[in-house]
Amino acid sequence: MTIPEGAGGPAAGTAAATAQAGAAVPETAPGETLLRVTGLKKHFPLTKGVLKRQVGAVKAVDGLDFDVRSGETLGVVGESGCGKSTMGRLITRLLEPTGGTVEFEGRDITHLGTAGMRPLRRDVQMIFQDPYSSLNPRHTVGAIVSAPFRLQKVKPEGGIKQEVQRLLSVVGLNPEHYNRYPHEFSGGQRQRIGIARALALSPKLVVADEPVSALDVSIQAQVVNLLDDLQSELGLTYVIIAHDLSVIRHVSDRIAVMYLGKIVELADRQTLYETPMHPYTRALLSAVPVPDPRGKARRGAERILLEGDVPSPIKPPAGCRFHTRCWKATRVCKTEEPPLVPLRTGQQVACHHPENAEDQRPEDTVLLSQAEKAADQAASEAAGEHAADVQAEEAAHSEAQSLGKE
């Protein structure tokens, strides 16, 4: 997509206004770390009774470590309930972290209050998942997209209305839509309005939470291509959260795979798709549909069906959280949590027995599934022997009684 002539992109109209507002923040060069997350946690308390006594916690995010470089797109994938959306809200500071740190451009923003975060809202924005509920139905498109300017007291050159109409053009909408209401637009058009609102103040980091999951396939392609074009035009940095591995592969430079509040693998896009190391990543990739029927048949033979359900985040399993569903799990997986460590250039994995890499615990060779089967078999044999002994004792007792009667 090309920005219309004379539009100059959203940065053109707001750069001077931002400077006037006193938001002088040092620029981060492309490739340098823009966002660094260390040990990030979010536990939602569970309360009981009239006094609301805490009896537990939902460990939605439980120790994340990653960074985001300026100008790149970090994709985040995982099953529903693994903590992806919570992570997005934590790094944008829409939720208060339970533990860990979030650094933006070298500044710790983990526990900044409303006043401290207000200037940073210009640099960190979010595109929400549902285009139907994220737009106020009582406000016009002009009021929705211009809200960031009013809240930040930014006055673009040429006025707010002209800047909003420019933004609408940038995202592929007609500037005449300024006075329309959200219910007059399709789902894809509503998501474009949300994108225009997020881009209003020329942010450096945009967190997109499932930006295309509620849209039709054809509209998904339009929105994904729009995000890609805007990144090229404006030098944006994205954190894109999604379920669709095909979408993530198309837009991401690096990909983080999450499972039950943890990152289990973090790697470059090509490396992750060609040589996945974590068994969970391999299982996810095996489920990606292949449009070629012959390729689908070949992939079907490799399909990995995970047994059981995702454990509860209220009481996650000890050790590796994936060991209850992993076909490679051993005893060490049940007792020791594997750290997220680099095993190859550009690829980190948290696994004792990774795929396509050297085994990290070669001394532990007995699979947990086999050990459990052996334990069950030994228990059944012991039970059988005990039953046989009981029967033998009963028979001997009966024989003794019969002899006594004679």
Side-chain angles (χ1 to χ4, degrees), residues 315-327:
K315 190 177 181 181
C320 175
R321 299 192 173 188
F322 186 59
H323 83 263
T324 58
R325 306 172 73 192
C326 182
W327 63 94

Side-chain angles (χ1 to χ4, degrees), residues 108-314:
D108 189 348
I109 65 171
T110 310
H111 299 293
L112 285 183
T114 303
M117 278 302 300
R118 185 174 293 275
L120 289 174
R121 294 296 179 201
R122 302 170 186 169
D123 296 326
V124 182
Q125 286 290 322
M126 189 165 187
I127 300 171
F128 295 95
Q129 178 175 355
D130 187 0
Y132 295 90
S133 63
S134 61
L135 304 179
N136 192 328
R138 298 188 179 188
H139 289 179
T140 63
V141 171
I144 291 171
V145 180
S146 64
F149 298 114
R150 298 195 307 271
L151 293 173
Q152 293 288 340
K153 299 179 180 179
V154 172
K155 296 181 180 179
E157 293 182 5
I160 292 179
K161 182 176 181 179
Q162 181 179 337
E163 181 64 18
V164 170
Q165 291 177 328
R166 181 185 294 117
L167 286 165
L168 294 177
S169 298
V170 167
V171 299
L173 295 175
N174 194 321
E176 296 178 359
H177 293 161
Y178 182 90
N179 291 316
R180 292 188 181 182
Y181 288 87
H183 72 270
E184 301 178 63
F185 296 90
S186 66
Q189 289 175 319
R190 293 188 190 198
Q191 195 63 290
R192 290 171 183 263
I193 295 170
I195 294 172
R197 176 176 60 186
L199 297 179
L201 297 174
S202 302
K204 297 175 182 177
L205 174 66
V206 177
V207 178
D209 183 12
E210 301 276 4
V212 296
S213 63
L215 308 178
D216 294 335
V217 176
S218 59
I219 304 301
Q220 286 183 9
Q222 295 177 15
V223 173
V224 167
N225 290 332
L226 171 63
L227 293 173
D228 202 15
D229 293 338
L230 291 173
Q231 185 176 42
S232 301
E233 295 282 350
L234 306 175
L236 299 173
T237 302
Y238 288 137
V239 174
I240 296 183
I241 300 165
H243 283 101
D244 194 330
L245 291 168
S246 300
V247 171
I248 288 294
R249 184 173 191 173
H250 178 73
V251 301
S252 301
D253 298 305
R254 293 188 301 145
I255 300 172
V257 181
M258 286 189 64
Y259 183 82
L260 207 61
K262 295 274 190 180
I263 291 179
V264 296
E265 187 163 2
L266 177 60
D268 299 332
R269 172 182 57 188
Q270 183 175 356
T271 303
L272 185 87
Y273 276 82
E274 292 180 356
T275 56
M277 287 189 178
H278 200 282
Y280 178 64
T281 307
R282 184 182 166 197
L284 284 181
L285 294 178
S286 74
V288 176
V290 179
D292 180 12
R294 289 172 297 178
K296 186 175 182 179
R298 291 194 299 270
R299 179 67 66 86
E302 303 172 2
R303 177 69 191 273
I304 299 172
L305 297 177
L306 298 177
E307 297 181 359
D309 297 324
V310 180
S312 171
I314 298 175

Side-chain angles (χ1 to χ4, degrees), residues 343-402:
L343 297 185
R344 186 182 299 159
T345 303
Q347 190 167 17
Q348 302 177 59
V349 65
C351 184
H352 293 303
H353 309 291
E355 305 271 343
N356 303 306
E358 183 179 354
D359 199 321
Q360 302 300 296
R361 299 299 292 268
E363 73 281 359
D364 195 12
T365 58
V366 180
L367 294 178
L368 192 61
S369 56
Q370 295 179 355
E372 290 175 348
K373 288 180 180 178
D376 292 341
Q377 183 177 357
S380 62
E381 291 177 355
E385 292 177 358
H386 178 69
D389 293 340
V390 171
Q391 290 178 356
E393 290 179 1
E394 290 178 349
H397 182 67
S398 299
E399 185 177 355
Q401 287 181 339
S402 61

